[in-house]
Amino acid sequence: MTDAAIEAIDLTRRFGDRTAVDTLNLLVEPGTVHALLGPSGSGKTTIVRMLATLLRPTAGTARVLGADVVRDADLVRRRIGLIGQDSAVDPRMTGVENLRMIARLGGLSRTETRRAIDDLPARFGLADAAHRLVSTWSGGMRRRLDIACAVVASPAVLFLDEPTTGLDPRNRRAVHDHVRGLVAGGTAVLLTTQYLDEAARLADAVTIVDRGVVVATGAPDAVVRRAHGCLDVELVDAAEPDGLEEVIAALGGRRALPAPGATEADTGSGVGAGAAGGSVADRITFEIPADLLLVEVVRALDRAGIVVRDLDRRRPTLDDAFLAATERTAP
Ligand SMILES: Nc1ncnc2c1ncn2[C@@H]1O[C@H](COP(=O)(O)OP(=O)(O)OP(=O)(O)O)[C@@H](O)[C@H]1O
Ligand SMILES: [Mg+2]
């Protein structure tokens, strides 16, 4: 037994001979947001569906609020909220009717239901449409209703599979605020998203999966710190000074691989436009340890007698961590 909101142990799902999720271990504490990140097809939705009892694991176990997702599936289902990747609202009912049905299915009494759905449409910008058939709503409105439905019964565990895809910035923010409110009240959230800024802003912990395997996990700051930083070295002329690469290597850095899709076309257009000084050719990018200070680079270059025009160092972001951890699947 455990106090964790969600706990997966060696959770595995195979489809035929393809392993979509491979011995996943995951721990989500109550009152926290855990972001599940990964490239398309890496197994995020499959993980969510297993934890939400919609898909049987091939191997391994998972518990939600202490209840086994296979043996105690009914119990789990009553205590979770889920926003799937695809909309689940019924277009033949109005917004309010959808909310009422979900609240009643979630075990709320009539009075509790009335109280719970009272201000929800307004909070998600749906007040004007609340009594119209959902079939007449836009995609973004349906998405917001999905989210309102998932939170109407104040579940202790909430699964959000790309909840804000297709929402405009104002509505994304409304969703973020609502999630924060639920989490402050003790709800545990497992969130998948393609917006890494959303994960960075909301998550207490992140897990990055690639081809069904966990490739990084921990607090967002820690995951980012483990990624490399970037150093752009601007040369005095096109010729690379002798020993530059060795100096950077001695500091723990290495020459960065060109970003996919940012090579020939970019350089070509630069040359075609007659870029003065050939800025692309005169600049070399290195991957460096995330905590390496620029002053250390300057001193080392000085000692080696290497002159450069400029140095630009940027701290890694969650984007860098994501790209570094999942570079095996880059096209
Ligand atoms: N019902 C299924 N039958 C067969 N293969 C499946 C099924 N569901 C998922 N898969 C496969 O499992 C892998 C993981 O899919 P999944 O939907 O979990 O990825 P994802 O990380 O959610 O991707 P996205 O970011 O595009 O939503 C994919 O290779 C997918 O083709
Ligand atoms: Mg998915």
Side-chain angles (χ1 to χ4, degrees):
M1 270 302 167
T2 163
D3 292 338
I6 303 171
E7 186 180 26
I9 301 166
D10 295 337
L11 197 63
T12 300
R13 174 68 205 207
R14 282 188 280 275
F15 294 107
D17 56 5
R18 162 177 229 133
T19 304
V21 178
D22 194 353
T23 55
L24 173 95
N25 288 287
L26 184 73
L27 196 66
V28 182
E29 303 289 349
T32 67
V33 177
H34 195 112
L36 188 58
L37 309 173
S40 182
S42 57
K44 303 180 298 294
T45 295
T46 306
I47 292 168
V48 167
R49 296 188 67 218
M50 284 192 285
L51 294 173
T53 77
L54 299 176
L55 188 68
R56 261 181 108 90
T58 310
T61 57
R63 280 189 288 268
V64 172
L65 300 164
D68 188 280
V69 295
V70 176
R71 274 199 319 273
D72 312 317
D74 285 346
L75 189 58
V76 172
R77 235 167 270 162
R78 256 178 277 135
R79 303 183 65 188
I80 62 173
L82 166 71
I83 299 176
Q85 198 164 356
D86 301 309
S87 182
V89 293
D90 189 337
R92 296 162 304 178
M93 300 197 294
T94 69
V96 165
E97 284 164 355
N98 266 287
L99 284 169
R100 199 177 292 139
M101 180 186 73
I102 297 292
R104 299 288 282 151
L105 287 175
L108 300 194
S109 71
R110 268 176 216 286
T111 317
E112 287 167 335
T113 296
R114 207 172 310 125
R115 203 175 305 134
I117 68 178
D118 183 38
D119 65 336
L120 267 185
R123 234 191 280 174
F124 288 97
L126 297 169
D128 292 344
H131 293 283
R132 268 183 15 219
L133 287 185
V134 171
S135 56
T136 67
W137 290 18
S138 75
M141 291 164 71
R142 292 181 199 205
R143 198 62 187 152
R144 271 133 60 203
L145 180 60
D146 267 329
I147 295 165
C149 284
V151 302
V152 68
S154 302
V157 171
L158 185 57
F159 296 97
L160 303 176
D161 195 358
E162 303 202 16
T164 61
T165 300
L167 294 189
D168 66 37
R170 187 185 306 279
N171 283 309
R172 279 183 73 196
R173 187 167 300 178
V175 171
H176 294 170
D177 289 346
H178 204 89
V179 168
R180 277 201 201 93
L182 288 169
V183 169
T187 299
V189 175
L190 185 67
L191 164 80
T192 84
T193 179
Q194 297 294 348
Y195 302 113
L196 296 183
D197 62 315
E198 180 166 283
R201 215 172 296 155
L202 283 180
D204 302 285
V206 301
T207 291
I208 303 177
V209 289
D210 193 11
R211 299 182 187 185
V213 176
V214 173
V215 290
T217 188
D221 280 357
V223 168
V224 168
R225 263 199 310 275
R226 262 180 260 136
H228 60 79
C230 297
L231 176 75
D232 290 326
V233 179
E234 213 179 298
L235 307 178
V236 177
D237 55 46
E240 181 177 337
D242 283 341
L244 174 63
E245 193 151 351
E246 286 75 6
V247 168
I248 303 296
L251 296 169
R254 62 170 184 167
R255 194 180 278 261
L257 299 170
T263 48
E264 280 160 45
D266 292 356
T267 318
S269 67
V271 171
S279 59
V280 174
D282 291 356
R283 178 175 307 191
I284 304 173
T285 300
F286 293 94
E287 292 177 4
I288 56 170
D291 54 0
L292 181 64
L293 298 176
L294 195 53
V295 61
E296 296 176 60
V297 180
V298 174
R299 284 201 195 112
L301 289 175
D302 241 12
R303 274 198 302 273
I306 295 174
V307 181
V308 298
R309 193 196 300 275
D310 202 3
L311 293 170
D312 190 13
R313 173 194 187 299
R314 48 183 188 88
R315 286 178 194 286
T317 62
L318 195 53
D319 284 46
D320 294 314
F322 179 91
L323 289 169
T326 60
E327 67 187 345
R328 287 183 306 119
T329 51

